[in-house]
Amino acid sequence: ARKDFLAGADLGGFLKERDASALARLAAGAQAMFRRMETGGKPVVAAINGTALGGGLELALACHRRIAADNPKTRIGLPEVTMGLLPGAGGTQRLPRLIGIHAAVPLLVEGTRLDVRKAQEAGIIDEVVPVEALLGAAKKWLASGPEPINPWDKKGFRPPGGDMSSTRAQEFFTVANSMLRQKTYGNYPAPEAILSCVHDGIGSPIDVGLRIEAKYFGQTAATPQCQSMIKTLFFAMGDANKLKRRPKEVPQRVPSRIGVLGSGLMGQGIGHVTAQAGIEVVLIDSTREKAEAAKARSDQLLQRNVDKGRMTAGQKKEILDRLHPGTDYAALEGCELVIEAVFENRAVKAEVTQKAAQVLADDAVFASNTSTLPISGLAQAYPRPENFIGLHFFSPVHRMALLEIIRGEQTSDACLAWSLDYARAIRKTPIVVNDGRGFYTSRVVSTFADEGLAMLVEGVKPGLIENGALMCGMPMGPLALSDEVQIDLFYKIRKQWMEDLGDSYDPGVSFEVAKHFVEDLDRPGKAKLKGFYDHNEKGERHLWPGLAKEYPAAANQPDVEEVQQRFLYIQALEAARTFEEGIVTAPADADIGSILGWGFPAWTGGALSLIDQIGAAEFVTRCQRLADRHGERFVPPKLLLDLAASGDRLAA
């Protein structure tokens, strides 16, 4: 009756139970149920009509045969690790026994999802048949009189490729442990527990292996990292994608035709993902050549999918046919939504806004893709400010899942609701924030870059700065990030803020560093192949040797733990301030935005969940110590002081 075979267990119970022994018993109960089926003396076949993930695949692995319908949308895998968990119903024991240690471990540790054909190639699926032939094929196999026993229950069984008694397997685990440590820096308990499950259990009878798995499952599920990841990556993300915060009284409206003003990197990306979602796109720029070039970039992106077999040439053509490049604003007539993605300049944005307004219907939504300029100010150029909103996309648009929706002072509920409908149509995960300088994501991530530059001025070695950030789970160091987003852009934005706010704005030491690199050193960032790093055309980078002269290393270097703490805590503090100020109105939005927006470490559950994970009282104490050493930016806001006193949490 459902399109999926089985997509996994109800994770809600894991958040209610934090005792490792009780969680281990929960896993053991599922294991026993599957084991009774597996050893019951009757052949069982899994007729996999759709996606089989997590506990769904574990059920299928306990069957004696797996036959899948040939559906390109079906996904097969054990993705528990992406939620901070490990498979607890036999997955870590049956999969390596079925396809071998070397093939199974990467799938388990990375949470890989395979289509049915690749699952068949891997040996997980025995047979793939047309959808209409699925049940017939399953019954035919049963009627053939198969032996109702799995290979691992037969005497003398050894996994394909051998068990832990082989030198090859021992070498594999040595390398796997090293690679995992290099990738996760020990921040994620689940992948390490998966390796232990396979290593400790594969040489024992299956029932012993299952007991080992249940023990590790309980220990891992009880960790704060797992609890935080489930809360944010499963429940909060699910609520966001279901538009739980959408104004319910507004009828749904998905645009059939939108306009995009500006065909640069962001405009092209917005048009691309919109056309892929089946929506017509009018792409406007100052010259037809610029607009046509954007369509050509979409052609290149789509061709890669054709070359990899992910779409047909016909599907590519259908998408490209929805992109209509040009220069005439009259082509925007009939668009239900227009998104401006022009240069980050108020005057330029006001000009294109006014031109578009002349041809748009009264109920059309106009959105700005600005990443820093307040929406309420930009809305002054639009005659109907109640229909003006911020839609902040992230680069590259076709890969980044987040859409930050910024509500201006006059933005109506209808405008917000329709913007959320558009987010779902283009398969982006939306968060909703209120207007303010830098909104949420740009404001908080800037503290990460600022802290790195402050360390540089203090004399902290650049290698320690960058590696300290990587070790706490950030995707790149603050110096590398500054180069990527361009030091000169950072400098221009801060200059604009200084002009806007006057003496009330404190740019901090980072502004002087940026100014020095742009005006004195002519090292504006990656685009010019020189910033804090030296870059080359191949995409390789190395820290600029001149940093040692410009910012000499201090005699005493901080512990790497303090470097990590400074990076994580300065971001969490700023996220808390945005919540206190009403920029962010839901802690879940802050957590989702931090993980999807700029790569805040997923093991924390997000920027605000980190505070809950540590405990407000302990977090405040640590921040006060950092404030004593490094300045007022680490002073906790009143919101956190109150939480520390009451013992409450930011999230329910």
Side-chain angles (χ1 to χ4, degrees):
R2 295 180 62 85
K3 64 180 180 179
D4 294 329
F5 177 74
L6 183 63
D10 176 9
L11 296 180
F14 300 146
L15 294 183
K16 297 173 184 174
E17 181 57 73
R18 302 195 177 190
D19 177 71
S21 297
L23 288 162
R25 288 193 295 272
L26 188 67
Q31 291 175 351
M33 178 174 61
F34 291 172
R35 194 72 177 127
R36 285 196 299 274
M37 179 189 73
E38 184 176 34
T39 60
K42 297 181 185 297
V44 182
V45 55
I48 302 173
N49 59 307
T51 289
L53 294 174
L57 180 55
E58 289 180 292
L59 170 61
L61 290 172
C63 296
H64 304 104
R65 189 169 181 82
R66 287 155 294 283
I67 304 175
D70 193 3
N71 183 342
K73 294 184 178 180
T74 291
R75 292 295 176 265
I76 307 292
L78 297 169
E80 286 89 344
V81 70
T82 62
M83 296 293 155
L85 280 167
L86 64 143
T92 69
Q93 301 305 304
R94 290 190 178 90
L95 189 63
R97 283 171 168 80
L98 179 67
I99 64 175
I101 295 170
H102 292 73
V105 165
L107 299 179
L108 288 162
V109 169
E110 296 171 15
T112 309
R113 303 176 186 220
L114 304 173
D115 61 37
V116 291
R117 291 294 178 182
K118 288 183 179 177
Q120 185 182 29
E121 291 172 12
I124 300 171
I125 301 297
D126 298 302
E127 188 179 353
V128 177
V129 300
V131 175
E132 64 275 9
L134 179 63
L135 288 177
K139 292 175 181 178
K140 180 180 178 181
W141 180 80
L142 289 171
S144 70
E147 185 180 17
I149 185 170
N150 270 324
W152 41 85
D153 282 318
K154 295 180 180 179
K155 188 175 181 180
F157 168 78
R158 291 189 75 207
D163 56 24
M164 287 308 301
S165 63
S166 71
T167 303
R168 183 166 174 255
Q170 293 170 11
E171 291 174 347
F172 171 78
F173 270 95
T174 300
V175 173
N177 270 304
S178 176
M179 291 179 66
L180 181 64
R181 190 73 186 182
Q182 186 179 32
K183 187 174 181 180
T184 68
Y185 295 99
N187 291 319
Y188 295 85
E192 294 183 5
I194 288 170
L195 284 183
S196 296
C197 282
V198 178
H199 180 279
D200 298 352
I202 198 68
S204 304
I206 183 74
D207 290 309
V208 175
L210 291 172
R211 289 198 293 272
I212 291 170
E213 179 186 83
K215 179 190 73 173
Y216 279 111
F217 178 88
Q219 292 173 352
T220 305
T223 62
Q225 294 94 326
C226 178
Q227 298 276 326
S228 297
M229 289 175 73
I230 290 175
K231 177 174 66 67
T232 299
L233 299 178
F234 186 77
F235 288 103
M237 204 86 76
D239 287 347
N241 288 326
K242 293 172 185 173
L243 309 188
K244 285 291 183 72
R245 299 186 62 204
R246 183 190 186 278
K248 294 179 174 56
E249 68 281 359
V250 179
Q252 184 178 5
R253 186 178 82 174
V254 177
S256 59
R257 180 181 175 88
I258 81 157
V260 178
L261 309 181
S263 61
L265 182 65
M266 296 305 294
Q268 180 271 327
I270 295 167
H272 179 83
V273 298
T274 304
Q276 274 194 307
I279 300 170
E280 299 290 324
V281 180
V282 178
L283 196 57
I284 301 291
D285 212 317
S286 56
T287 68
R288 187 164 190 89
E289 289 75 19
K290 290 180 180 179
E292 291 283 2
K295 184 171 182 177
R297 288 196 295 274
S298 285
D299 191 346
Q300 294 170 358
L301 287 174
L302 294 170
Q303 186 58 45
R304 292 176 195 169
N305 288 332
V306 173
D307 294 342
K308 294 177 181 179
R310 295 173 180 168
M311 68 170 52
T312 66
Q315 290 171 324
K316 170 190 158 183
K317 183 179 183 302
E318 288 178 5
I319 294 169
L320 289 174
D321 286 347
R322 297 188 195 108
L323 288 169
H324 308 287
T327 60
D328 190 354
Y329 280 71
L332 297 173
E333 186 174 358
C335 290
E336 298 108 318
L337 166 68
V338 170
I339 305 169
E340 68 83 0
V342 299
F343 185 66
E344 199 80 342
N345 178 281
R346 284 192 184 86
V348 175
K349 289 182 181 293
E351 180 183 353
V352 300
T353 300
Q354 290 162 359
K355 286 182 179 179
Q358 295 175 14
V359 297
L360 293 179
D362 289 348
D363 64 347
V365 171
F366 192 94
S368 174
N369 179 53
T370 181
S371 59
T372 58
L373 299 176
I375 291 300
S376 301
L378 296 177
Q380 293 174 8
Y382 196 67
R384 297 172 292 279
E386 69 276 9
N387 287 346
F388 195 101
I389 200 164
L391 295 180
H392 178 203
F393 288 82
F394 296 78
S395 181
V397 179
H398 67 286
R399 289 182 184 166
M400 298 294 281
L402 185 69
L403 178 59
E404 184 179 26
I405 299 179
I406 306 102
R407 187 168 193 169
E409 292 176 2
Q410 298 184 61
T411 302
S412 68
D413 282 352
C415 181
L416 172 62
W418 293 334
S419 299
L420 285 164
D421 292 340
Y422 168 67
R424 179 157 57 185
I426 61 172
R427 300 177 181 86
K428 297 298 182 187
T429 299
I431 62 169
V432 179
V433 303
N434 287 322
D435 198 13
R437 191 167 303 279
F439 319 127
Y440 170 66
T441 56
S442 296
R443 174 175 164 179
V444 179
V445 73
S446 68
T447 64
F448 169 61
D450 287 353
E451 198 62 28
L453 301 192
M455 290 182 190
L456 194 64
V457 173
E458 292 169 19
V460 180
K461 292 180 179 179
L464 177 55
I465 294 171
E466 297 294 87
N467 286 319
L470 295 174
M471 290 174 70
C472 68
M474 295 297 294
M476 65 176 66
L479 305 182
L481 177 65
S482 297
D483 275 9
E484 289 286 338
V485 300
Q486 300 305 123
I487 303 169
D488 57 346
L489 176 61
F490 171 91
Y491 177 48
K492 289 173 185 175
I493 290 172
R494 295 305 172 92
K495 281 180 68 176
Q496 182 67 62
W497 289 1
M498 289 176 71
E499 291 175 14
D500 292 346
L501 301 176
D503 294 339
S504 66
Y505 178 64
D506 177 13
V509 297
S510 59
F511 177 79
E512 293 301 323
V513 177
K515 180 180 179 181
H516 182 48
F517 266 72
V518 173
E519 295 190 355
D520 304 330
L521 301 175
D522 188 28
R523 299 186 65 86
K526 184 180 178 181
K528 294 292 182 66
L529 301 181
K530 52 184 182 178
F532 296 108
Y533 284 77
D534 285 325
H535 303 263
N536 62 30
E537 299 291 352
K538 297 179 182 178
E540 299 167 335
R541 65 176 180 236
H542 303 281
L543 280 165
W544 178 45
L547 282 174
K549 177 184 175 183
E550 299 296 330
Y551 301 98
N556 296 318
Q557 293 292 305
D559 293 334
V560 68
E561 290 80 7
E562 180 173 333
V563 172
Q564 293 174 263
Q565 196 176 80
R566 285 175 67 176
F567 282 136
L568 292 177
Y569 288 21
I570 197 68
Q571 295 176 79
L573 280 168
E574 194 66 18
R577 293 185 187 108
T578 66
F579 185 49
E580 183 177 61
E581 295 167 18
I583 302 296
V584 171
T585 59
D589 279 353
D591 286 336
I592 293 169
S594 64
I595 293 173
L596 295 186
W598 69 87
F600 194 79
W603 63 265
T604 66
L608 290 186
S609 279
L610 174 66
I611 299 172
D612 283 344
Q613 193 178 115
I614 295 168
E618 179 63 21
F619 182 80
V620 163
T621 299
R622 295 178 187 180
C623 286
Q624 287 168 336
R625 285 200 295 263
L626 289 172
D628 291 340
R629 289 197 293 270
H630 302 293
E632 291 186 1
R633 63 186 179 278
F634 284 101
V635 173
K638 183 178 183 300
L639 168 70
L640 297 185
L641 296 175
D642 291 344
L643 285 174
S646 66
D648 291 337
R649 297 162 57 90
L650 280 162

